[in-house]
Amino acid sequence: FRSGPGAVQLECTCATVECHSSENSSHAFRCVPPIMAEVVQQHIEDRIPEFEQLQRVGLFSEKEIRTIIKKVSALEYKVHRRALNKENFINYVQYEINLLELIKKEDRK
């Protein structure tokens, strides 16, 4: 819950809900979509434990993890654009499949 000049904001998982009201009016709520950069950043942050584990067990070096994070970030931005493109989703899924195959291969060594 945050309040600012003339607005009260409630956080939810999909967006920010804002209440715009004056002293004499009823509350009017509307969802405000999050900024694309915030969504991408949150998705990357949610995966940090996964990346740390891959490094901790020795499957990838710190440099390799940074490279993976850069690639995943770029793919995340592509799938969160206003103009959606099926190819961007396919490329992201294919990258994740390839990454999982690489993890399996590295784990067998």
Side-chain angles (χ1 to χ4, degrees), residues 1-91:
F1 171 80
R2 289 184 282 159
S3 63
V8 174
Q9 294 184 348
L10 305 168
E11 298 295 324
C12 75
T13 58
C14 64
T16 300
V17 180
E18 293 183 344
C19 173
H20 295 277
S21 64
S22 64
E23 292 178 19
N24 298 327
S25 70
S26 61
H27 294 279
F29 293 95
R30 66 181 175 90
C31 284
V32 178
I35 298 171
M36 180 173 55
E38 292 174 357
V39 171
V40 170
Q41 183 66 30
Q42 186 60 51
H43 286 180
I44 299 302
E45 287 177 10
D46 290 345
R47 293 188 66 183
I48 293 296
E50 169 192 344
F51 298 138
E52 288 174 341
Q53 180 69 16
L54 291 171
Q55 184 180 351
R56 192 171 29 257
V57 299
L59 291 175
F60 295 105
S61 68
E62 183 178 343
K63 183 179 179 183
E64 290 169 322
I65 293 295
R66 280 196 308 265
T67 301
I68 291 168
I69 291 171
K70 284 180 185 179
K71 180 66 174 179
V72 168
S73 295
L75 290 165
E76 281 279 344
Y77 275 105
K78 287 182 179 181
V79 300
H80 286 92
R81 291 181 177 164
R82 280 186 197 259
L84 297 178
N85 180 342
K86 179 173 70 173
E87 291 299 317
N88 292 336
F89 287 92
I90 292 169
N91 290 338

Coordinates of all heavy atoms in Angstrom, one line a residue, residues 1-91:
F1 N 0.9 -1.2 0.0 CA 0.0 0.0 0.0 C 0.9 1.2 0.0 O 1.8 1.4 0.8 CB -0.9 0.0 1.2 CG -1.7 1.2 1.5 CD1 -2.8 1.4 0.8 CD2 -1.2 2.2 2.4 CE1 -3.6 2.6 1.0 CE2 -2.0 3.3 2.6 CZ -3.1 3.5 1.9
R2 N 0.7 2.1 -1.0 CA 1.4 3.4 -1.0 C 0.4 4.5 -1.3 O -0.6 4.3 -2.0 CB 2.4 3.4 -2.2 CG 3.6 2.5 -1.9 CD 4.6 2.6 -3.0 NE 4.1 1.8 -4.1 CZ 4.5 2.0 -5.4 NH1 5.3 2.9 -5.7 NH2 4.0 1.2 -6.3
S3 N 0.6 5.6 -0.8 CA -0.2 6.7 -1.1 C 0.6 7.9 -1.6 O 1.8 8.0 -1.2 CB -1.0 7.2 0.1 OG -0.2 7.6 1.2
G4 N 0.0 8.7 -2.4 CA 0.7 9.8 -3.0 C -0.2 10.9 -3.1 O -1.4 10.8 -2.7
P5 N 0.2 12.0 -3.7 CA -0.7 13.2 -3.9 C -1.9 12.8 -4.7 O -1.8 12.5 -5.9 CB 0.1 14.2 -4.5 CG 1.5 13.6 -4.8 CD 1.5 12.2 -4.3
G6 N -3.1 12.7 -4.1 CA -4.3 12.5 -4.8 C -4.6 11.0 -5.2 O -5.5 10.7 -5.9
A7 N -3.7 10.1 -4.8 CA -3.8 8.7 -5.3 C -3.4 7.8 -4.2 O -2.5 8.0 -3.4 CB -3.0 8.5 -6.5
V8 N -4.1 6.6 -4.2 CA -3.7 5.5 -3.3 C -3.4 4.4 -4.2 O -4.1 4.1 -5.2 CB -4.9 5.2 -2.3 CG1 -4.5 3.9 -1.6 CG2 -5.2 6.3 -1.4
Q9 N -2.2 3.7 -4.0 CA -1.9 2.6 -4.8 C -1.8 1.3 -4.0 O -1.3 1.3 -2.9 CB -0.5 2.8 -5.5 CG -0.5 4.0 -6.4 CD 0.9 4.1 -7.1 OE1 1.9 3.5 -6.7 NE2 1.0 4.9 -8.1
L10 N -2.4 0.3 -4.6 CA -2.3 -1.1 -4.0 C -1.5 -1.9 -5.0 O -1.8 -1.9 -6.2 CB -3.7 -1.6 -3.8 CG -4.7 -0.8 -3.0 CD1 -6.1 -1.3 -3.1 CD2 -4.3 -0.8 -1.6
E11 N -0.6 -2.7 -4.5 CA 0.2 -3.6 -5.4 C -0.5 -4.9 -5.5 O -1.1 -5.5 -4.6 CB 1.6 -3.8 -4.8 CG 2.4 -2.6 -4.6 CD 2.8 -1.9 -5.9 OE1 3.0 -2.6 -6.9 OE2 2.8 -0.6 -5.9
C12 N -0.5 -5.4 -6.7 CA -1.0 -6.8 -7.0 C 0.1 -7.5 -7.9 O 1.0 -6.8 -8.3 CB -2.4 -6.8 -7.6 SG -2.4 -6.3 -9.3
T13 N -0.1 -8.7 -8.1 CA 0.9 -9.4 -8.9 C 1.0 -9.1 -10.4 O 2.0 -9.2 -11.0 CB 0.7 -11.0 -8.8 OG1 -0.6 -11.3 -9.2 CG2 0.9 -11.4 -7.3
C14 N -0.1 -8.6 -10.9 CA -0.2 -8.4 -12.4 C 0.0 -6.9 -12.7 O 0.4 -6.6 -13.8 CB -1.4 -8.9 -13.0 SG -2.9 -8.1 -12.4
A15 N -0.3 -6.0 -11.8 CA -0.3 -4.6 -12.1 C -0.4 -3.8 -10.8 O -0.6 -4.3 -9.8 CB -1.4 -4.2 -13.1
T16 N -0.3 -2.5 -11.0 CA -0.6 -1.6 -9.9 C -2.0 -1.1 -10.0 O -2.5 -0.8 -11.1 CB 0.3 -0.4 -9.9 OG1 1.7 -0.8 -9.8 CG2 0.1 0.6 -8.8
V17 N -2.7 -1.2 -8.9 CA -4.1 -0.7 -8.9 C -4.1 0.7 -8.2 O -3.6 0.8 -7.1 CB -5.0 -1.7 -8.1 CG1 -6.5 -1.2 -8.1 CG2 -4.9 -3.1 -8.7
E18 N -4.6 1.6 -8.9 CA -4.7 3.0 -8.4 C -6.1 3.4 -8.1 O -7.0 3.1 -8.7 CB -4.1 4.0 -9.4 CG -2.6 3.8 -9.7 CD -2.1 4.9 -10.6 OE1 -2.9 5.5 -11.3 OE2 -0.9 5.0 -10.7
C19 N -6.2 4.2 -7.0 CA -7.5 4.7 -6.6 C -7.4 6.2 -6.7 O -6.6 6.9 -6.1 CB -7.9 4.4 -5.2 SG -9.3 5.2 -4.6
H20 N -8.2 6.8 -7.6 CA -8.3 8.2 -7.8 C -9.6 8.7 -7.2 O -10.7 8.4 -7.8 CB -8.1 8.6 -9.3 CG -6.8 8.2 -9.8 ND1 -5.7 9.0 -9.7 CD2 -6.4 7.1 -10.5 CE1 -4.7 8.4 -10.2 NE2 -5.0 7.3 -10.7
S21 N -9.6 9.5 -6.2 CA -10.8 10.0 -5.6 C -10.5 11.3 -4.9 O -9.4 11.6 -4.5 CB -11.4 9.0 -4.6 OG -10.5 8.9 -3.5
S22 N -11.6 12.1 -4.8 CA -11.5 13.3 -4.1 C -12.3 13.1 -2.8 O -12.9 12.1 -2.6 CB -12.0 14.5 -4.9 OG -13.4 14.3 -5.2
E23 N -12.3 14.1 -2.0 CA -13.0 14.0 -0.7 C -14.5 13.7 -0.9 O -15.1 13.1 -0.1 CB -12.8 15.3 0.1 CG -11.4 15.5 0.6 CD -11.3 16.8 1.4 OE1 -12.3 17.3 1.9 OE2 -10.1 17.2 1.5
N24 N -15.1 14.3 -1.9 CA -16.5 14.1 -2.1 C -16.9 13.1 -3.1 O -18.1 12.9 -3.4 CB -17.1 15.5 -2.6 CG -16.9 16.6 -1.6 OD1 -16.9 16.3 -0.4 ND2 -16.7 17.8 -2.0
S25 N -16.0 12.3 -3.7 CA -16.4 11.3 -4.7 C -16.1 9.9 -4.1 O -15.3 9.7 -3.2 CB -15.6 11.5 -6.0 OG -14.2 11.2 -5.8
S26 N -16.7 8.9 -4.8 CA -16.4 7.6 -4.4 C -15.1 7.1 -5.0 O -14.5 7.8 -5.9 CB -17.6 6.7 -4.9 OG -17.6 6.7 -6.3
H27 N -14.6 6.0 -4.5 CA -13.3 5.5 -5.0 C -13.5 4.9 -6.4 O -14.4 4.2 -6.7 CB -12.8 4.4 -4.1 CG -12.4 5.0 -2.7 ND1 -11.3 5.6 -2.5 CD2 -13.1 5.0 -1.6 CE1 -11.2 6.0 -1.2 NE2 -12.4 5.6 -0.6
A28 N -12.5 5.3 -7.3 CA -12.5 4.7 -8.6 C -11.1 4.0 -8.8 O -10.1 4.7 -8.7 CB -12.7 5.8 -9.7
F29 N -11.1 2.7 -9.0 CA -9.9 1.9 -9.1 C -9.7 1.6 -10.6 O -10.6 1.3 -11.3 CB -10.0 0.7 -8.3 CG -10.0 0.9 -6.8 CD1 -11.2 1.0 -6.1 CD2 -8.8 1.1 -6.1 CE1 -11.2 1.2 -4.8 CE2 -8.8 1.3 -4.8 CZ -10.0 1.4 -4.1
R30 N -8.4 1.5 -11.0 CA -8.1 1.1 -12.3 C -6.7 0.4 -12.2 O -5.9 0.8 -11.4 CB -8.1 2.2 -13.3 CG -7.0 3.2 -13.1 CD -7.1 4.3 -14.2 NE -6.2 5.4 -13.9 CZ -4.9 5.4 -14.4 NH1 -4.5 4.4 -15.2 NH2 -4.1 6.4 -14.1
C31 N -6.5 -0.6 -13.1 CA -5.2 -1.3 -13.1 C -4.3 -0.5 -14.1 O -4.7 0.0 -15.1 CB -5.4 -2.7 -13.7 SG -6.0 -3.8 -12.5
V32 N -3.1 -0.3 -13.6 CA -2.1 0.3 -14.4 C -1.0 -0.7 -14.7 O -0.4 -1.3 -13.8 CB -1.4 1.5 -13.6 CG1 -0.3 2.1 -14.4 CG2 -2.5 2.5 -13.2
P33 N -0.9 -1.1 -16.0 CA 0.1 -2.1 -16.3 C 1.5 -1.7 -15.9 O 1.9 -0.6 -16.0 CB 0.0 -2.3 -17.8 CG -0.9 -1.3 -18.3 CD -1.5 -0.5 -17.2
P34 N 2.3 -2.7 -15.4 CA 3.7 -2.4 -15.0 C 4.5 -2.0 -16.3 O 4.2 -2.4 -17.4 CB 4.2 -3.6 -14.4 CG 3.3 -4.7 -14.9 CD 2.0 -4.1 -15.3
I35 N 5.5 -1.3 -16.0 CA 6.5 -0.9 -17.1 C 7.2 -2.1 -17.5 O 7.6 -3.0 -16.7 CB 7.4 0.2 -16.6 CG1 6.6 1.5 -16.2 CG2 8.5 0.5 -17.6 CD1 7.4 2.5 -15.5
M36 N 7.4 -2.3 -18.8 CA 8.0 -3.5 -19.3 C 9.4 -3.8 -18.7 O 9.6 -4.9 -18.3 CB 8.3 -3.4 -20.8 CG 8.9 -4.6 -21.4 SD 9.0 -4.6 -23.2 CE 9.9 -3.2 -23.6
A37 N 10.2 -2.8 -18.4 CA 11.5 -3.0 -17.8 C 11.3 -3.6 -16.4 O 12.1 -4.4 -16.0 CB 12.3 -1.7 -17.7
E38 N 10.3 -3.2 -15.7 CA 10.0 -3.7 -14.3 C 9.7 -5.2 -14.4 O 10.1 -6.0 -13.6 CB 8.9 -2.9 -13.6 CG 9.3 -1.5 -13.3 CD 8.2 -0.7 -12.7 OE1 7.0 -1.2 -12.7 OE2 8.4 0.5 -12.3
V39 N 8.9 -5.5 -15.4 CA 8.5 -6.9 -15.5 C 9.7 -7.8 -15.9 O 9.9 -8.9 -15.3 CB 7.4 -7.1 -16.6 CG1 7.1 -8.5 -17.0 CG2 6.1 -6.3 -16.2
V40 N 10.5 -7.4 -16.8 CA 11.6 -8.1 -17.2 C 12.6 -8.2 -16.0 O 13.1 -9.3 -15.7 CB 12.3 -7.4 -18.4 CG1 13.7 -8.1 -18.7 CG2 11.4 -7.5 -19.7
Q41 N 12.8 -7.2 -15.3 CA 13.7 -7.2 -14.2 C 13.2 -8.2 -13.1 O 14.0 -8.9 -12.6 CB 13.9 -5.8 -13.6 CG 14.8 -5.7 -12.4 CD 16.2 -6.0 -12.8 OE1 16.7 -5.7 -13.9 NE2 17.0 -6.5 -11.9
Q42 N 11.9 -8.2 -12.9 CA 11.4 -9.1 -11.9 C 11.5 -10.5 -12.3 O 11.9 -11.4 -11.5 CB 9.9 -8.8 -11.6 CG 9.3 -9.6 -10.5 CD 10.0 -9.4 -9.2 OE1 10.1 -8.2 -8.8 NE2 10.4 -10.4 -8.5
H43 N 11.3 -10.8 -13.6 CA 11.5 -12.2 -14.1 C 12.9 -12.6 -13.9 O 13.2 -13.8 -13.6 CB 11.1 -12.3 -15.5 CG 9.6 -12.3 -15.7 ND1 9.0 -12.3 -17.0 CD2 8.6 -12.2 -14.8 CE1 7.7 -12.3 -16.8 NE2 7.4 -12.2 -15.5
I44 N 13.9 -11.8 -14.2 CA 15.3 -12.1 -14.1 C 15.6 -12.3 -12.6 O 16.3 -13.3 -12.2 CB 16.2 -11.0 -14.7 CG1 15.9 -10.9 -16.2 CG2 17.7 -11.3 -14.4 CD1 16.1 -12.1 -17.0
E45 N 15.2 -11.4 -11.7 CA 15.4 -11.6 -10.3 C 14.8 -12.8 -9.8 O 15.4 -13.5 -8.9 CB 14.9 -10.4 -9.6 CG 15.7 -9.1 -9.7 CD 15.1 -7.9 -9.1 OE1 14.1 -8.0 -8.3 OE2 15.6 -6.8 -9.3
D46 N 13.7 -13.3 -10.3 CA 13.1 -14.5 -9.8 C 13.9 -15.7 -10.2 O 13.8 -16.7 -9.5 CB 11.7 -14.7 -10.5 CG 10.6 -13.7 -9.9 OD1 10.9 -13.1 -8.9 OD2 9.6 -13.5 -10.5
R47 N 14.7 -15.6 -11.2 CA 15.6 -16.7 -11.6 C 17.0 -16.7 -11.0 O 17.8 -17.6 -11.3 CB 15.7 -16.7 -13.2 CG 14.3 -17.0 -13.8 CD 14.4 -17.2 -15.3 NE 15.2 -18.4 -15.6 CZ 15.5 -18.8 -16.8 NH1 15.0 -18.1 -17.9 NH2 16.2 -19.9 -17.1
I48 N 17.3 -15.6 -10.3 CA 18.7 -15.5 -9.7 C 19.0 -16.8 -8.9 O 20.1 -17.3 -9.0 CB 18.8 -14.2 -8.9 CG1 18.8 -13.0 -9.8 CG2 20.1 -14.2 -8.0 CD1 19.9 -12.9 -10.8
P49 N 18.2 -17.3 -8.0 CA 18.5 -18.5 -7.3 C 18.9 -19.7 -8.2 O 19.8 -20.4 -7.9 CB 17.3 -18.8 -6.4 CG 16.6 -17.5 -6.3 CD 16.8 -16.8 -7.6
E50 N 18.2 -19.8 -9.3 CA 18.5 -20.9 -10.3 C 19.9 -20.7 -10.8 O 20.7 -21.6 -10.9 CB 17.5 -20.8 -11.4 CG 17.8 -21.6 -12.6 CD 16.8 -21.3 -13.8 OE1 15.8 -20.7 -13.6 OE2 17.2 -21.7 -14.9
F51 N 20.2 -19.4 -11.2 CA 21.5 -19.1 -11.8 C 22.6 -19.3 -10.8 O 23.7 -19.9 -11.1 CB 21.6 -17.7 -12.4 CG 20.6 -17.4 -13.5 CD1 19.9 -16.3 -13.5 CD2 20.4 -18.4 -14.5 CE1 19.0 -16.0 -14.6 CE2 19.5 -18.1 -15.5 CZ 18.8 -17.0 -15.6
E52 N 22.4 -18.9 -9.5 CA 23.4 -19.1 -8.5 C 23.7 -20.6 -8.2 O 24.8 -21.0 -8.0 CB 22.9 -18.4 -7.2 CG 23.0 -16.9 -7.3 CD 22.3 -16.2 -6.0 OE1 21.6 -16.9 -5.3 OE2 22.6 -15.0 -5.8
Q53 N 22.6 -21.4 -8.3 CA 22.8 -22.8 -8.1 C 23.6 -23.4 -9.2 O 24.4 -24.3 -8.9 CB 21.4 -23.5 -8.0 CG 21.4 -25.0 -7.7 CD 22.0 -25.4 -6.4 OE1 22.0 -24.6 -5.5 NE2 22.3 -26.6 -6.2
L54 N 23.3 -23.0 -10.4 CA 24.1 -23.6 -11.6 C 25.6 -23.2 -11.4 O 26.4 -24.1 -11.8 CB 23.6 -23.0 -12.9 CG 22.2 -23.5 -13.3 CD1 21.7 -22.7 -14.5 CD2 22.2 -25.0 -13.6
Q55 N 25.9 -22.1 -10.9 CA 27.3 -21.7 -10.7 C 27.9 -22.4 -9.5 O 29.0 -22.9 -9.5 CB 27.4 -20.2 -10.5 CG 28.8 -19.7 -10.4 CD 28.9 -18.2 -10.2 OE1 28.0 -17.5 -10.3 NE2 30.1 -17.8 -9.9
R56 N 27.1 -22.5 -8.4 CA 27.6 -23.1 -7.2 C 27.9 -24.6 -7.4 O 28.9 -25.0 -6.8 CB 26.5 -23.0 -6.1 CG 26.9 -23.3 -4.7 CD 26.0 -23.0 -3.6 NE 24.5 -23.0 -3.9 CZ 23.8 -22.0 -4.1 NH1 24.3 -20.8 -4.0 NH2 22.5 -22.1 -4.4
V57 N 27.2 -25.3 -8.2 CA 27.5 -26.7 -8.4 C 28.5 -26.9 -9.5 O 28.9 -28.1 -9.8 CB 26.2 -27.5 -8.7 CG1 25.2 -27.5 -7.5 CG2 25.5 -27.1 -10.0
G58 N 29.0 -25.8 -10.1 CA 30.1 -25.9 -11.0 C 29.7 -26.2 -12.5 O 30.5 -26.5 -13.3
L59 N 28.4 -26.1 -12.8 CA 28.0 -26.3 -14.2 C 28.3 -25.2 -15.1 O 28.6 -25.4 -16.3 CB 26.5 -26.6 -14.2 CG 26.0 -27.9 -13.6 CD1 24.5 -28.0 -13.6 CD2 26.6 -29.1 -14.3
F60 N 28.3 -23.9 -14.6 CA 28.7 -22.8 -15.3 C 29.6 -21.8 -14.5 O 29.4 -21.8 -13.3 CB 27.4 -22.0 -15.8 CG 26.6 -22.8 -16.7 CD1 25.4 -23.3 -16.3 CD2 26.9 -22.9 -18.1 CE1 24.6 -24.0 -17.2 CE2 26.1 -23.6 -18.9 CZ 24.9 -24.2 -18.5
S61 N 30.5 -21.1 -15.2 CA 31.3 -20.1 -14.5 C 30.5 -18.8 -14.3 O 29.4 -18.7 -14.9 CB 32.5 -19.8 -15.4 OG 32.2 -19.2 -16.6
E62 N 31.1 -17.9 -13.6 CA 30.4 -16.6 -13.4 C 30.2 -15.9 -14.7 O 29.2 -15.3 -15.0 CB 31.2 -15.8 -12.4 CG 30.6 -14.5 -12.1 CD 31.4 -13.6 -11.1 OE1 32.3 -14.2 -10.4 OE2 31.1 -12.4 -11.0
K63 N 31.2 -16.0 -15.5 CA 31.2 -15.3 -16.9 C 30.1 -16.0 -17.7 O 29.3 -15.2 -18.4 CB 32.5 -15.5 -17.6 CG 32.6 -14.8 -18.9 CD 33.9 -14.9 -19.5 CE 33.9 -14.2 -20.9 NZ 35.2 -14.4 -21.6
E64 N 29.9 -17.3 -17.7 CA 28.9 -18.0 -18.4 C 27.5 -17.6 -17.9 O 26.6 -17.4 -18.7 CB 29.1 -19.5 -18.4 CG 30.3 -19.9 -19.2 CD 30.7 -21.4 -18.9 OE1 30.6 -21.8 -17.7 OE2 31.1 -22.0 -19.8
I65 N 27.4 -17.5 -16.6 CA 26.1 -17.1 -16.0 C 25.7 -15.7 -16.5 O 24.6 -15.4 -16.8 CB 26.1 -17.2 -14.5 CG1 26.2 -18.7 -14.0 CG2 24.9 -16.5 -13.8 CD1 25.0 -19.5 -14.4
R66 N 26.7 -14.8 -16.5 CA 26.4 -13.4 -16.9 C 25.9 -13.4 -18.4 O 25.0 -12.7 -18.8 CB 27.7 -12.5 -16.8 CG 27.9 -12.0 -15.4 CD 28.8 -10.8 -15.3 NE 30.1 -11.1 -15.9 CZ 31.2 -11.6 -15.3 NH1 31.2 -11.8 -14.0 NH2 32.3 -11.8 -16.0
T67 N 26.6 -14.2 -19.2 CA 26.2 -14.4 -20.6 C 24.7 -14.9 -20.7 O 23.9 -14.4 -21.5 CB 27.1 -15.3 -21.4 OG1 28.5 -14.7 -21.3 CG2 26.8 -15.4 -22.8
I68 N 24.4 -15.9 -19.9 CA 23.1 -16.4 -19.9 C 22.0 -15.4 -19.5 O 21.0 -15.2 -20.1 CB 23.0 -17.7 -19.0 CG1 23.8 -18.8 -19.6 CG2 21.5 -18.1 -18.8 CD1 24.0 -20.0 -18.6
I69 N 22.4 -14.6 -18.5 CA 21.4 -13.6 -18.0 C 21.2 -12.5 -19.1 O 20.1 -12.1 -19.3 CB 21.9 -13.0 -16.7 CG1 21.8 -14.0 -15.5 CG2 21.2 -11.7 -16.3 CD1 22.5 -13.6 -14.2
K70 N 22.3 -12.1 -19.7 CA 22.1 -11.1 -20.8 C 21.2 -11.7 -21.9 O 20.4 -10.9 -22.4 CB 23.5 -10.8 -21.4 CG 24.3 -9.9 -20.5 CD 25.7 -9.5 -21.1 CE 26.5 -8.7 -20.2 NZ 27.8 -8.4 -20.7
K71 N 21.4 -12.9 -22.3 CA 20.6 -13.5 -23.4 C 19.1 -13.6 -22.9 O 18.2 -13.3 -23.7 CB 21.2 -14.9 -23.8 CG 20.4 -15.6 -24.9 CD 20.5 -14.8 -26.2 CE 19.8 -15.6 -27.3 NZ 19.9 -14.9 -28.6
V72 N 18.9 -14.1 -21.7 CA 17.6 -14.2 -21.2 C 16.9 -12.9 -21.1 O 15.7 -12.7 -21.4 CB 17.6 -15.0 -19.8 CG1 16.2 -14.9 -19.1 CG2 18.0 -16.4 -20.0
S73 N 17.6 -11.9 -20.7 CA 17.1 -10.5 -20.6 C 16.6 -10.0 -22.0 O 15.6 -9.5 -22.1 CB 18.1 -9.5 -20.0 OG 18.4 -9.9 -18.7
A74 N 17.5 -10.2 -22.9 CA 17.2 -9.8 -24.3 C 15.9 -10.5 -24.8 O 15.0 -9.9 -25.4 CB 18.3 -10.0 -25.3
L75 N 15.8 -11.8 -24.5 CA 14.6 -12.6 -25.0 C 13.4 -12.1 -24.2 O 12.3 -12.0 -24.8 CB 14.9 -14.0 -24.8 CG 15.9 -14.7 -25.7 CD1 16.4 -16.0 -25.2 CD2 15.4 -14.7 -27.2
E76 N 13.5 -11.8 -22.9 CA 12.4 -11.3 -22.1 C 11.9 -10.0 -22.7 O 10.7 -9.9 -22.8 CB 12.8 -11.1 -20.7 CG 12.9 -12.4 -19.8 CD 11.5 -12.8 -19.3 OE1 10.5 -12.1 -19.3 OE2 11.4 -14.0 -18.9
Y77 N 12.8 -9.1 -23.0 CA 12.3 -7.8 -23.6 C 11.5 -8.1 -24.9 O 10.5 -7.4 -25.2 CB 13.5 -6.9 -23.9 CG 13.9 -6.1 -22.7 CD1 15.0 -6.4 -21.9 CD2 13.1 -5.0 -22.3 CE1 15.3 -5.6 -20.8 CE2 13.4 -4.3 -21.1 CZ 14.5 -4.6 -20.4 OH 14.8 -3.8 -19.3
K78 N 12.0 -9.0 -25.7 CA 11.3 -9.3 -27.0 C 9.9 -9.8 -26.8 O 9.0 -9.5 -27.5 CB 12.1 -10.2 -27.8 CG 13.4 -9.6 -28.4 CD 14.1 -10.5 -29.3 CE 15.3 -9.8 -29.9 NZ 16.1 -10.7 -30.8
V79 N 9.7 -10.7 -25.8 CA 8.4 -11.3 -25.6 C 7.4 -10.3 -24.8 O 6.3 -10.6 -24.7 CB 8.4 -12.7 -24.9 CG1 9.2 -13.6 -25.8 CG2 9.0 -12.6 -23.5
H80 N 8.0 -9.2 -24.3 CA 7.1 -8.3 -23.5 C 6.9 -7.0 -24.3 O 6.4 -6.0 -23.8 CB 7.7 -8.0 -22.2 CG 7.6 -9.1 -21.2 ND1 8.5 -10.1 -21.1 CD2 6.5 -9.5 -20.4 CE1 8.1 -11.0 -20.2 NE2 6.9 -10.6 -19.8
R81 N 7.2 -7.0 -25.6 CA 6.9 -5.8 -26.4 C 5.4 -5.7 -26.6 O 4.6 -6.7 -26.5 CB 7.5 -6.0 -27.8 CG 9.0 -5.9 -27.7 CD 9.6 -6.0 -29.1 NE 11.0 -5.9 -29.1 CZ 11.8 -6.2 -30.1 NH1 11.3 -6.8 -31.2 NH2 13.1 -6.1 -30.0
R82 N 5.0 -4.5 -27.0 CA 3.5 -4.3 -27.3 C 3.1 -5.1 -28.5 O 2.1 -5.7 -28.6 CB 3.3 -2.8 -27.6 CG 3.1 -2.0 -26.3 CD 2.7 -0.6 -26.7 NE 2.9 0.3 -25.6 CZ 1.9 0.7 -24.8 NH1 0.7 0.3 -25.0 NH2 2.1 1.5 -23.8
A83 N 4.0 -5.0 -29.6 CA 3.7 -5.8 -30.8 C 4.3 -7.2 -30.6 O 5.5 -7.4 -30.7 CB 4.3 -5.1 -32.0
L84 N 3.4 -8.1 -30.3 CA 3.9 -9.5 -30.0 C 4.2 -10.2 -31.3 O 3.5 -10.0 -32.3 CB 2.8 -10.3 -29.2 CG 2.5 -9.7 -27.9 CD1 1.4 -10.5 -27.2 CD2 3.8 -9.7 -27.0
N85 N 5.2 -11.0 -31.3 CA 5.7 -11.7 -32.5 C 5.9 -13.2 -32.0 O 6.6 -13.5 -31.1 CB 7.0 -11.1 -33.0 CG 7.5 -11.8 -34.2 OD1 7.2 -12.9 -34.5 ND2 8.4 -11.1 -34.8
K86 N 5.2 -14.1 -32.7 CA 5.3 -15.5 -32.4 C 6.7 -16.0 -32.4 O 7.1 -16.8 -31.6 CB 4.4 -16.3 -33.3 CG 4.4 -17.8 -33.1 CD 3.4 -18.5 -34.0 CE 3.9 -18.5 -35.4 NZ 3.0 -19.3 -36.3
E87 N 7.5 -15.5 -33.3 CA 8.9 -15.9 -33.5 C 9.7 -15.6 -32.2 O 10.6 -16.4 -31.8 CB 9.6 -15.3 -34.7 CG 9.1 -15.8 -36.0 CD 9.3 -17.3 -36.2 OE1 10.4 -17.8 -35.8 OE2 8.3 -18.0 -36.6
N88 N 9.4 -14.5 -31.5 CA 10.1 -14.2 -30.3 C 9.9 -15.2 -29.2 O 10.8 -15.6 -28.5 CB 9.8 -12.8 -29.8 CG 10.3 -11.7 -30.8 OD1 11.2 -11.9 -31.5 ND2 9.6 -10.5 -30.7
F89 N 8.6 -15.6 -29.1 CA 8.3 -16.7 -28.1 C 9.0 -18.0 -28.5 O 9.5 -18.7 -27.6 CB 6.8 -16.8 -28.0 CG 6.1 -15.7 -27.3 CD1 5.6 -14.6 -28.1 CD2 5.9 -15.7 -26.0 CE1 5.0 -13.6 -27.4 CE2 5.3 -14.6 -25.3 CZ 4.8 -13.6 -26.1
I90 N 8.9 -18.3 -29.7 CA 9.6 -19.6 -30.2 C 11.1 -19.6 -29.9 O 11.6 -20.5 -29.4 CB 9.3 -19.8 -31.7 CG1 7.8 -20.2 -31.9 CG2 10.2 -21.0 -32.2 CD1 7.3 -20.2 -33.3
N91 N 11.7 -18.4 -30.2 CA 13.1 -18.3 -29.9 C 13.5 -18.4 -28.4 O 14.5 -19.0 -28.1 CB 13.7 -16.9 -30.5 CG 13.7 -16.9 -32.0 OD1 13.7 -17.9 -32.6 ND2 13.6 -15.7 -32.5

